[in-house]
Each structure stands twice: as C-alpha cells, then as structure tokens.
Amino acid sequence: QVQLVESGGGLVQPGGSLRLSCAAIGFTLDLYAIGWFRQAPGKEREGVSCIVIRNGNTYYADSVKGRFTISRDNGEDTVYLQMSNLKPDDTAVYYCAASLLGSAVDPWEESDFGSWGQGTQVTVSS
C-alpha cells in the first residue's frame, strides 16, 4: 500500500525557514515524480514544486522560485521541501503527492498524482 507522510510544518515568522519532509511508506521513490501542493484558506489547491526522481528534474511555481528547494537525499525514500524567506502568503496546508508518470508528469496537474499525504500546516505570521 502506497502511503505518504508529511512532517515539518509549524508556525514561523515572516522571513523564516522551514523544511518539510515527505516520507514514502511501502514503496521506493525511484520510478515516481513527487509533487508538493498547498491549499490556503478559501483558495484552491495549487502546485508548488515537483521533482522527477529518476532524472532529478525539478519544477517550481513562480511564487516560490528562489525561495523553495525540493530535493531527495540519495538512498532515502524521503523528499524534502526547504522553504526560506517565508511570507504570510505561504500560509497553507502543504501536501505531497506521488505520480507514477515519472518524467511524463505535468507537475501542476493534480490528476497526474495518484497518492496523497494528509497534509501539514504551515503558518507564517508575526
């Protein structure tokens, strides 16, 4: 059974940093693309970043480019989202998701991702 577990959310002041983790339980990441999505109160869920594990290609939404970094440590079945210079607009529930489409994935298309975690809350506030 494919399961994803997010962690690392919390309350941080504007300009601060957090690192989110997405752990894969019951499968290895090698064939997958892993995406991070977020949903703010009253807004639709949106794609934030994505990594294709096999070739290492990464994708970022314009709103987070230069501030967020997605990565996967070699040999680990965990994907990280390092978030820096956080802004109040980054406040949302963050979800990770897995796609078996690999390099064929559309990083921003939710229907390409078949497995989702439960989400972790990130709140940016002074």
Side-chain angles (χ1 to χ4, degrees), residues 7-13 15-21 67-69 80-86 90 94 120-124:
S7 61
L11 173 64
V12 64
Q13 292 187 343
S17 300
L18 282 175
R19 188 177 78 158
L20 304 183
S21 299
R67 301 188 298 121
F68 290 12
T69 302
Y80 302 97
L81 186 68
Q82 178 68 48
M83 307 185 295
S84 302
N85 191 20
L86 283 160
D90 295 318
Y94 283 71
T120 185
Q121 176 71 46
V122 172
T123 303
V124 185

Side-chain angles (χ1 to χ4, degrees), residues 1-123:
Q1 182 179 358
V2 173
Q3 185 179 1
L4 296 169
V5 178
E6 303 100 333
S7 61
L11 173 64
V12 64
Q13 292 187 343
S17 300
L18 282 175
R19 188 177 78 158
L20 304 183
S21 299
C22 173
I25 309 297
F27 69 104
T28 58
L29 293 178
D30 292 350
L31 299 180
Y32 286 79
I34 302 295
W36 283 98
F37 294 78
R38 67 186 181 186
Q39 187 166 22
K43 295 186 177 180
E44 292 187 354
R45 190 157 56 186
E46 63 176 357
V48 175
S49 184
C50 181
I51 183 168
V52 178
I53 299 299
R54 175 149 287 188
N55 60 21
N57 285 355
T58 57
Y59 305 87
Y60 297 95
D62 288 343
S63 59
V64 306
K65 277 180 184 176
R67 301 188 298 121
F68 290 12
T69 302
I70 191 170
S71 65
R72 180 248 190 156
D73 285 350
N74 287 337
E76 290 190 16
D77 286 323
T78 301
V79 169
Y80 302 97
L81 186 68
Q82 178 68 48
M83 307 185 295
S84 302
N85 191 20
L86 283 160
K87 305 174 181 181
D89 284 350
D90 295 318
T91 295
V93 178
Y94 283 71
Y95 301 88
C96 67
S99 172
L100 265 174
L101 294 176
S103 59
V105 70
D106 179 341
W108 318 121
E109 179 54 62
E110 291 186 28
S111 64
D112 279 8
F113 294 83
S115 299
W116 291 77
Q118 292 300 306
T120 185
Q121 176 71 46
V122 172
T123 303

